[in-house]
Structures are given as structure tokens and as C-alpha cells.
Amino acid sequence: MKENRTHKITLIPGDGIGPEVTQAVVRILEATGVHFEWERFAAGAEAFEAHGEYIPATLYESIARNRVALKGPVTTPIGGGFKSINVTLRKRFDLYANFRPIRNLPGLESKWPGVDLIVVRENTEGEYVGLEHEVVPGVVESIKVITEKGSTRIARFAFEYAQKHGRKKIHSIHKANIMKMSDGLFLRCARKVAEEFPSIQYAEHIIDNTCLQLVMNPYQYDTLLLENLYGDIVSDLCAGLVGGLGLVPGANLGAECAIFEAVHGSAPDIAGKDVANPTALLQSAILMLRHLDEMAAADRIKKALEQVYSERKTLTRDVGGTAGTNQFADAVLAAMG
Ligand code: NAI
């Protein structure tokens, strides 16, 4: 019999809709009977107000110790202010692989039923290194960093995942016609890794054409391998194919630690109104349960979630229902029995 151990998890509820969706997800996780011990931390503006630090040292220590975190969205100021908490955590723990599976939920009408895409985004390099400076007034340079090491390891992650999970095809998405050196290096690394995996088809598409192809016929893709910024943009587009940002999960994975978080942001337009859809974070929590080898609990939540969507009685507003965040969580709990 499986030992019933306690999982210590660093919990960052975040801000905006973060606390609402996190609370709903924690309730559902606790109903599985898996034992969790949550180490809760504020991050971003809220943490700065309380402790004078955007990311408290104790939060870094907690993630390093527990190696697994569940995170709600954190607002990043636009055009100034502090550095993104997400980017900082991903860099600090070298969470180089951003993994975003895109699938339809039953009961939700979509122009594209049966989508089954995996988006693998490089998570530490590209434009996100944050190297920007003003050369002279009116001229700013932003540096995009692509390395052989970073490109090779994310390509290897994508191919190993594909091989392990029976995926057939990987497309590298690029703009190497314009960024000949940086995207060129990314492609050369991907091609080299592809040679080690002859059973997986390998192809390359230019990023702008990819956006067109995705909205015209997403079925032609299986697994997308992208640099950081392209992955950020394309994963939101892919979320739109299956019903929106309220649904799609994500994981930031490194050799040592993993942080599970939804693709969406803090959604200030709907924060504090009990209308946010907690499904995206709940699906991220299912990925977390699988990472913790809690397969039965993961399957139980997945089945309950699919039942709630199939019945269409208690859905949130973003997917055409009228239920609030808590009501939706109650419906999932009821379906878990
Ligand atoms: P957003 O993802 O917060 O919102 C985009 C649209 O999707 C909004 O209309 C929002 O209402 C809707 N939406 C998002 N999540 C939803 C949910 N769970 N249920 C129902 N509707 C949902 O993107 P936006 O507005 O560009 O960013 C807001 C803030 O979030 C920014 O400060 C941004 O930097 C931050 N952000 C944080 C992320 C993270 O912590 N991982 C990721 C993306 C953005």
C-alpha cells in the first residue's frame, strides 16, 4: 500500500484573482485525502508592504526546501516598477521548462473540439533576461540572449517528454529569417537534439505563420517548442482555442524544483468579485499531484472536473455560466463524492 506521507508545499496565493482561485483549489486538494502542509507566502507589492521585500528571503528558502510550489498570479507593473516575480522565481530556481498542455474540456463548445497540444516554452532566456538600457535619450536597447546550453536543454526536454508520452511530432517555432543568429542558434540546437530521436517527426515553422496556422487548423500541430517570448504569446493564443485563460494549466520545471501556476495573470478587471474561474489553477494542481506521484488524487479531481463541465450546470461566467468561484469549487467537491 502507498505510504500516506505529508507533502510540504510552498503556497503563493498571489494578488488580483489569485487568492480567490487559490483558496478554491486548496479546498479541493484537501478533499482528496492527500496530506498537505502549506507554507504560505505573499509576493510582489503585497509582500513589499508587509516586509519591505518583493520576494521575502523566507519564500526563497521555502521553495528551495520543499522543491514544489503552487502559485497564483502576481501583478507586474507595466513600463516601470519592480521586476516580474514570476520571471525572478523562474530564473532563481532555474525553472527552464515551461510546460503548458492545451486540451478541451467536455461540455464546452469550441470551434476546435479535440485539440491536444503541448506547448514547451524556454523559461529563462530570450528577451526575459531583462537587459534593457537607454543608449541616448529616445533610443533604447533590449538584449535577447539565446545560448546553446539553454536551447539544447529545452529541446531535449521537449523530445524526452514527447518520447515518454507517445507524442508524434515537434515543431520548433522561430523567426530565424530575421533573427538569423539568435533564432538560428535555437534552431541548430533543436535540429541536433532531433537527430537523437528519429521516431519523432521534426519540423520548423516561422512564428507569424504559426499564429495563422493555429487559428486556421490547430490539428496540424502536436508539440510546439518555442523560445521564451514566442511561448508566452502562443500559449495565450492556444488557450483561446479551447475556451480561454480560465482553463489552461502550466508548470515551471527545473532539475531541482517545480512551480505550478496557471497561464493567466491576476485579471484585475474581475478581481475580488467571486467570478474568476479556478479551473486553470486546479488543472495546474493536477499536474502538481502527478509530479508528486499522487496519481489517484489527480485522476479523482480530473474526473470530477470533467463531470462538472459535462453537466454544464455550474460553470463560471468566462465559459458561459453564472456560477461564482466558490460555487464552482463546491460543484467539483460534490462530484468528487
Ligand atoms: P490576465 O491573464 O490577467 O487577463 C486577461 C483576460 O483574461 C482578462 O479579461 C481576465 O479577466 C481574463 N481571465 C484571466 N484569468 C481568468 C480566470 N481565471 N477566470 C476568468 N477570466 C480570466 O492578463 P493581463 O490583464 O494581461 O495581466 C494582468 C496582470 O497579471 C499583469 O500585471 C501581468 O503582468 C500579470 N501576469 C501574471 C502572470 C503570473 O503571475 N504568472 C501571468 C500573466 C500575467
Side-chain angles (χ1 to χ4, degrees), residues 14-15 17 21 71-78 84-86 90 100 121 232 236 244-247 252 261-271 275-281 316-319:
D15 52 45
I17 60 169
V21 293
K71 180 183 161 297
V74 179
T75 304
T76 308
I78 292 173
S84 159
I85 301 303
N86 315 309
R90 290 167 190 172
R100 294 175 166 179
R121 162 186 173 192
D232 189 10
D236 271 33
L245 283 172
L247 307 174
N252 301 289
E261 66 179 343
V263 172
H264 65 72
S266 55
D269 52 335
I270 56 167
V275 298
N277 189 345
T279 302
L281 189 63
T316 47
R317 286 200 324 205
D318 56 314
V319 287

Side-chain angles (χ1 to χ4, degrees), residues 55-76:
I55 303 181
T58 46
L59 169 52
Y60 284 128
E61 286 156 21
S62 172
I63 297 177
R65 203 172 45 243
N66 298 334
R67 295 167 162 228
V68 179
L70 182 64
K71 180 183 161 297
V74 179
T75 304
T76 308

Side-chain angles (χ1 to χ4, degrees), residues 139-151:
V139 181
V140 168
E141 280 182 355
S142 172
I143 296 172
K144 161 169 165 169
V145 176
I146 299 294
T147 69
E148 186 177 341
K149 179 182 165 218
S151 305

